[in-house]
Amino acid sequence: MNKSKIITIAIISLIVLFAVLILFNIFGPEEDESSRPQQMRSGPATTVRVTPVTTGIIEKSVILNGEILARNQVTILPAMAGRLVDMRFSVGDRVTSGSIVAMVDPSRPGEVFSRSPVVSTVTGTVLNAPFSIGDSVTPQSGIYIVGDLSALLVETFVPERFATSVTQGMRASLWFEAIPGETFNAEVFEINPVLDPVSRTLRIRLRFLNTDPRIRAGMFATLSLITNRKADVPVIQRTSVINTYGSWIVFVVDEENIARRRVVTLGLDSEDQLEILSGVSLGERVVSAGQNFLSDGDPVRIAE
């Protein structure tokens, strides 16, 4: 073989070897990112805050407005129609059962009749007196509204979508603009059997569990009614979850401080927490802040 052929074969061999190396680099097996040591991973570690998965109590509630009423509130009616000639009590006065609270003159022109007394059927405090002396009244006219202020209740109306969740004994927290910074507890004791056909709401009444002399009938209250409650269930912070294409995901930090992406199934939710049905286990460290910039396998630095 002459010298020129040897040189040609050598050049072709080098070209083929170089081409094989290029193809291997392009199409060769990729190294698993998760199998590489943390110090060999590209990019700096992301600073995150983590919260362990723990068991707890989670409550779902609805915010409603309510009115404070006297628990035993009765309208005092006259026995006869006529002209109101005497009113013996004013709003705020206390009356006793069987006492005469007003007088009605049933006389008509040309006729004189004895005055008819209006008798209170309950003991309590006068809450309203809508009529004045000289007014004409009928047996359907409520001359006084008398209530027992020693036992107050809260009346509120629950929207139809929450109506089936309301049960006897359900708890609620209340607060008042007139008593800032304080919360009071109540429980449901009366549920109307039917919904209002106009407003599509369910009327319920609650009794106070902790009374306070500052609470008065006629006050306006805001209440948080607990419609569902679970105890000893796995919970995480609401800020931990991300919605991605219809799925809820979280990032869990392993022993090597590597973020692992997990798809989770959520249960009951409250203002701050979420119940976890699947996807993470008790004790695992879930990223609760800083997860929006993470990808699966990223190194992280945990903020204390």
Side-chain angles (χ1 to χ4, degrees):
M1 182 179 297
N2 58 32
K3 186 176 180 180
S4 62
K5 285 186 176 182
I6 294 174
I7 295 174
T8 302
I9 293 173
I11 293 173
I12 293 173
S13 298
L14 289 174
I15 293 174
V16 170
L17 179 60
F18 185 70
V20 169
L21 290 175
I22 293 176
L23 291 174
F24 181 81
N25 287 332
I26 296 175
F27 300 103
E30 295 182 358
E31 183 180 1
D32 185 4
E33 181 73 17
S34 63
S35 66
R36 297 170 61 187
Q38 181 176 349
Q39 61 270 22
M40 296 179 62
R41 294 173 186 269
S42 60
T46 303
T47 302
V48 298
R49 191 177 300 278
V50 298
T51 305
V53 182
T54 59
T55 58
I57 298 174
I58 189 165
E59 298 174 336
K60 189 173 183 64
S61 60
V62 56
I63 303 300
L64 303 168
N65 296 322
E67 183 180 2
I68 308 303
L69 305 174
R71 186 168 181 180
N72 298 318
Q73 189 168 299
V74 177
T75 301
I76 307 301
L77 304 172
M80 302 180 66
R83 186 169 57 90
L84 191 61
V85 294
D86 185 16
M87 294 187 67
R88 301 184 180 182
F89 296 91
S90 301
V91 173
D93 291 343
R94 184 166 180 82
V95 300
T96 58
S97 178
S99 61
I100 297 175
V101 296
M103 299 292 289
V104 174
D105 184 2
S107 299
R108 290 176 292 181
E111 300 177 339
V112 178
F113 296 96
S114 299
R115 293 181 174 181
S116 173
V118 180
V119 179
S120 176
T121 56
V122 295
T123 297
T125 303
V126 176
L127 306 179
N128 193 11
F131 292 92
S132 302
I133 292 176
D135 288 342
S136 296
V137 296
T138 69
Q140 289 76 42
S141 301
I143 295 179
Y144 288 108
I145 297 177
V146 178
D148 182 6
L149 295 181
S150 64
L152 300 177
L153 60 86
V154 186
E155 184 178 78
T156 187
F157 296 85
V158 180
E160 183 177 5
R161 63 183 181 275
F162 301 111
T164 57
S165 302
V166 180
T167 58
Q168 292 280 354
M170 184 175 284
R171 297 296 180 90
S173 299
L174 297 90
W175 55 94
F176 301 87
E177 289 188 4
I179 313 175
E182 296 188 46
T183 302
F184 302 88
N185 298 317
E187 66 177 7
V188 177
F189 77 94
E190 181 181 308
I191 303 173
N192 199 317
V194 297
L195 271 69
D196 184 281
V198 177
S199 63
R200 293 296 176 186
T201 57
L202 180 70
R203 191 195 72 180
I204 64 171
R205 289 181 170 180
L206 305 91
R207 54 171 160 255
F208 284 95
L209 299 179
N210 52 335
T211 58
D212 192 296
R214 294 172 295 175
I215 301 175
R216 299 182 179 182
M219 273 187 170
F220 178 84
T222 303
L223 61 152
S224 174
L225 181 67
I226 299 171
T227 57
N228 202 346
R229 184 178 188 273
K230 289 185 179 181
D232 297 325
V233 295
V235 295
I236 62 172
Q237 298 297 314
R238 177 179 281 274
T239 55
S240 301
V241 298
I242 304 173
N243 187 277
T244 305
Y245 302 109
S247 298
W248 293 102
I249 66 167
V250 299
F251 284 92
V252 175
V253 177
D254 64 15
E255 295 79 4
E256 298 180 353
N257 284 352
I258 304 300
R260 302 298 182 188
R261 185 180 185 273
R262 301 276 186 86
V263 177
V264 295
T265 304
L266 304 179
L268 197 63
D269 64 298
S270 66
E271 184 177 351
D272 302 317
Q273 294 182 316
L274 298 167
E275 178 193 7
I276 291 293
L277 301 179
S278 66
V280 294
S281 302
L282 288 174
E284 288 192 295
R285 299 180 298 172
V286 175
V287 179
S288 55
Q291 71 273 33
N292 291 325
F293 303 101
L294 287 179
S295 297
D296 188 38
D298 283 352
V300 298
R301 180 185 301 109
I302 299 175
E304 298 297 335

